[in-house]
Amino acid sequence: MKDIYILAYAQNPIVADAKAANEVELIMPVVHQVFKQTGFTQNDIGFTCSGSCDYLQGAAFAFVEGLSAIQTNPPIKESHVEMDAAWALYESILKIQMGDAETALIYGFGKSSPGDLPFVSTLQTDPYYMSPLWPDKTSLAALQAQLLMNKGVLTKKDMYEALTQSISNAKNNSNALVTAMPSEDDYLSADYLSSPLSAFDCAPISDGASAMIIGTEEAATKLGLQKIKISSVHHSIESSNFGARDLSTSESIIGLGKKINLKSFKPDFVELHTQFTYEIPFIRGLLDLGNVDINLSGGPLAGNVMMAAGLDSIGKSFELLKNNDFHSGLAHASSGPCLQQNMLVHLEKIND
Amino acid sequence: MTKSSDKELLRASFKLEYPYERSPGPVIGKFFDELSNEVLVGTKNSKGEVFVPAAEFDPKDSEHLSEFVEVKNEGVVQSYTWIKKPRAHHLIQESFAFALISMEGTDSAMLHMIANCNENELEIGKRVKVVWNEEKTQTIRDIKYFEIIDD
């Protein structure tokens, strides 16, 4: 296996409503930033892969328009995943491992503001047994939160602590959308959208884009920047049969903790792609993370660009390692209702 | 770079839907056929576990499932979420719950709705029964919702 390094990462300021700015206008600034960080042009990129969701734009193959943000003439090797851009990163890692490329540009983008995101997400559920009933994203998460509270796995207080910690950490991220701290009274007295979740428990509707460049050891050495290595990456998915899953635990997350051998290293921090407050104490318990800092960037509760937020947890881990006296970080990305699909990435700072 | 100005923002109405039809196939199709007869069926794996709604394959080991069994129209709430103020698209526009319901004698749960009750009557473990939609469409909506079984 080749060693693969993150060479650059950039995130647009997350906004609640990008208004007239289209997807191309969201993507271009971050692509330019990662080129600036590396000195690369599109000609230095061996493979380009994006992550987005056509349902957000409301048209099939809408992602193709995003390609207008980069130079595609002369023709480039390019791909797209109808998933969070963390999986575009995964595909890029495979391309480099196969020897098809030395470097890869990854970008993810989402403009959720024009639609009703919790119901747009409904269209991604089972089209026979689920989506005709219009279960919104918040209600599906609430089914899991209710079950976990009923089993004594977590409490509303745990959820409030996860929220305040996230908002407090958001000051570390100048791109964060939410910085207003709710009082415990406001939190506990808020009406439930879908019990036991109120609007405070849900990541904000966000517009934005992020980009990343990765490369082989040779490419990283040539740049002469601080080396941040992708030491290990694994992903797994649970059944699409929603009612057959055990929502009181997560086979996927526990299995990934074993695959990535979480017992063999102690991360200095963890960045979780958690779109609801309850998911933070839940995953902390599942992975036995102890009291390690979670979401020092604020995480998705402070700004959650659909289809980029998973890549952001990896990108923010890269930045945390680069800019602090940290040596090892764990990043998580997720997709599907109730943490159906998950990815864990172990990043390490390598000192030559 | 010149960005699009907000004055140029174009708006168009949009219907959130799948703009195409799907064929349900032999397993899901049979489940829907039986629903329209007000009968609930599930599929059974070789270990004797029953899945309702009918699953085409075993979610654990991918065993192909084709044996159908009829089950009762009653089940137990595995989890629920109460929606005090229904939002756009919700099919019931009075307070209701989404719930995961294990039909009696089955080993999986079905996502559906519970109505005609108050929030404080609902709890995990509560027994509920099917209320059929009068108009049948051979879809999951042939079940209108579930309601609590009075003890």
Side-chain angles (χ1 to χ4, degrees):
Chain A
M1 295 286 272
K2 290 175 194 166
D3 288 343
I4 297 175
Y5 296 79
I6 299 181
L7 309 182
Y9 162 75
Q11 176 187 43
N12 259 344
I14 302 171
V15 294
D17 183 355
K19 299 192 175 155
N22 62 33
E23 285 76 4
V24 173
E25 290 167 321
L26 295 174
I27 300 163
M28 278 186 94
V30 287
V31 169
H32 282 264
Q33 281 176 56
V34 290
F35 281 155
K36 199 173 162 197
Q37 286 174 34
T38 51
F40 285 179
T41 68
Q42 186 67 41
N43 297 330
D44 297 305
I45 299 295
F47 180 64
T48 302
C49 197
S50 61
S52 71
C53 172
D54 280 356
Y55 285 119
L56 291 182
Q57 283 131 301
F61 291 94
F63 69 90
V64 176
E65 188 53 38
L67 278 170
S68 302
I70 59 168
Q71 178 198 327
T72 53
N73 186 23
I76 59 168
K77 285 184 192 169
E78 183 272 339
S79 181
H80 171 263
V81 292
E82 189 73 18
M83 311 170 85
D84 188 284
W87 275 269
L89 168 67
Y90 193 90
E91 182 175 343
S92 302
I93 291 170
L94 295 182
K95 276 280 179 194
I96 293 177
Q97 289 297 359
M98 288 189 294
D100 282 358
E102 295 291 315
T103 54
L105 167 68
I106 298 112
Y107 61 91
F109 59 100
K111 192 177 171 187
S112 303
S113 61
D116 189 348
L117 182 62
F119 285 107
V120 174
S121 299
T122 305
L123 295 189
Q124 293 186 312
T125 60
D126 178 310
Y128 304 103
Y129 293 151
M130 288 177 77
S131 70
L133 302 172
W134 285 102
D136 54 287
K137 180 176 169 158
T138 312
S139 295
L140 292 173
L143 288 170
Q144 185 166 44
Q146 186 87 274
L147 188 61
L148 293 170
M149 282 175 65
N150 184 265
K151 295 212 172 221
V153 175
L154 47 87
T155 63
K156 272 304 265 189
K157 198 167 173 63
D158 296 330
M159 290 153 71
Y160 176 65
E161 275 169 18
L163 174 65
T164 53
Q165 195 63 59
S166 297
I167 304 298
S168 163
N169 287 341
K171 66 179 181 297
N172 300 326
N173 182 5
S174 58
N175 299 324
L177 169 63
V178 179
T179 48
M181 182 76 76
S183 74
E184 190 164 2
D185 277 354
D186 286 348
Y187 176 79
L188 292 175
S189 63
D191 282 342
Y192 291 151
L193 291 169
S194 301
S195 72
L197 302 180
S198 73
F200 285 121
D201 294 301
C202 309
I205 302 298
S206 312
D207 294 347
S210 299
M212 183 181 277
I213 293 177
I214 61 170
T216 55
E217 174 140 36
E218 199 186 344
T221 307
K222 244 189 244 172
L223 283 180
L225 302 170
Q226 171 68 60
K227 280 186 182 168
I228 309 293
K229 183 176 153 189
I230 300 173
S231 300
S232 184
V233 54
H234 292 283
H235 74 117
S236 80
I237 191 165
E238 290 182 24
S239 175
S240 59
N241 186 336
F242 187 66
R245 289 171 57 197
D246 179 359
L247 299 180
S248 70
T249 180
S250 168
E251 278 176 36
S252 161
I253 291 174
I254 290 174
L256 288 174
K258 286 182 188 151
K259 263 192 184 165
I260 207 162
N261 205 3
L262 202 44
K263 283 209 161 68
S264 70
F265 66 93
K266 194 176 182 311
D268 296 310
F269 61 85
V270 179
E271 286 286 313
L272 297 179
H273 183 191
T274 40
Q275 301 183 63
F276 297 94
T277 51
Y278 82 89
E279 294 176 348
I280 293 177
F282 181 41
I283 298 178
R284 190 189 282 280
L286 288 170
L287 291 178
D288 201 11
L289 293 174
N291 58 4
V292 66
D293 284 325
I294 290 181
N295 291 358
L296 287 173
S297 71
L301 292 173
N304 178 41
V305 177
M306 270 286 285
M307 314 322 261
L311 182 70
D312 284 335
S313 98
I314 301 161
K316 289 295 167 191
S317 300
F318 162 77
E319 286 182 343
L320 283 164
L321 285 169
K322 209 173 62 162
N323 302 330
N324 298 279
D325 188 25
F326 293 139
H327 300 280
S328 166
L330 182 69
H332 161 257
S334 182
S335 178
C338 303
L339 300 163
Q340 183 193 6
Q341 185 171 21
N342 297 278
M343 180 187 297
L344 286 182
V345 186
H346 179 208
L347 297 176
E348 281 179 296
K349 190 190 282 180
I350 305 295
N351 294 313
D352 290 324
Chain B
M1 188 179 72
T2 312
K3 286 196 174 184
S4 309
S5 85
D6 293 339
K7 280 184 189 163
E8 297 165 29
L9 191 60
L10 300 176
R11 293 189 181 277
S13 61
F14 184 80
K15 188 175 180 201
L16 190 57
E17 62 174 350
Y18 302 119
Y20 45 84
E21 286 187 3
R22 289 167 188 264
S23 58
V27 174
I28 296 171
K30 163 114 175 143
F31 177 80
F32 287 153
D33 281 348
E34 294 294 346
L35 272 194
S36 67
N37 299 325
E38 303 196 351
V39 172
L40 257 180
V41 295
T43 44
K44 192 175 185 177
N45 69 13
S46 55
K47 294 183 213 85
E49 293 166 326
V50 176
F51 300 92
V52 174
E56 293 171 316
F57 56 90
D58 189 310
K60 285 204 180 71
D61 61 12
S62 304
E63 178 191 347
H64 177 71
L65 305 178
S66 54
E67 185 187 345
F68 285 88
V69 285
E70 187 178 333
V71 300
K72 270 180 84 175
N73 298 343
E74 298 178 7
V76 173
V77 175
Q78 300 297 329
S79 188
Y80 70 93
T81 174
W82 185 253
I83 297 162
K84 195 173 167 186
K85 288 183 192 151
R87 301 180 281 280
H89 298 293
H90 284 151
L91 299 177
I92 299 175
Q93 283 297 317
E94 289 163 22
S95 300
F96 75 101
F98 278 113
L100 280 166
I101 299 157
S102 274
M103 303 312 295
E104 202 172 297
T106 70
D107 300 88
S108 67
M110 167 155 61
L111 177 78
H112 220 287
M113 301 171 287
I114 301 175
N116 282 342
C117 66
N118 295 316
E119 184 181 8
N120 57 17
E121 294 172 77
L122 256 183
E123 57 187 15
I124 291 174
K126 203 83 177 167
R127 290 180 52 75
V128 291
K129 65 173 185 229
V130 172
V131 175
W132 298 103
N133 226 333
E134 275 175 34
E135 195 187 327
K136 300 295 191 291
T137 51
Q138 295 191 318
T139 68
I140 193 70
R141 293 195 201 173
D142 285 351
I143 296 174
K144 197 172 184 185
Y145 48 75
F146 283 74
E147 62 184 17
I148 292 174
I149 299 174
D150 293 323
D151 293 322

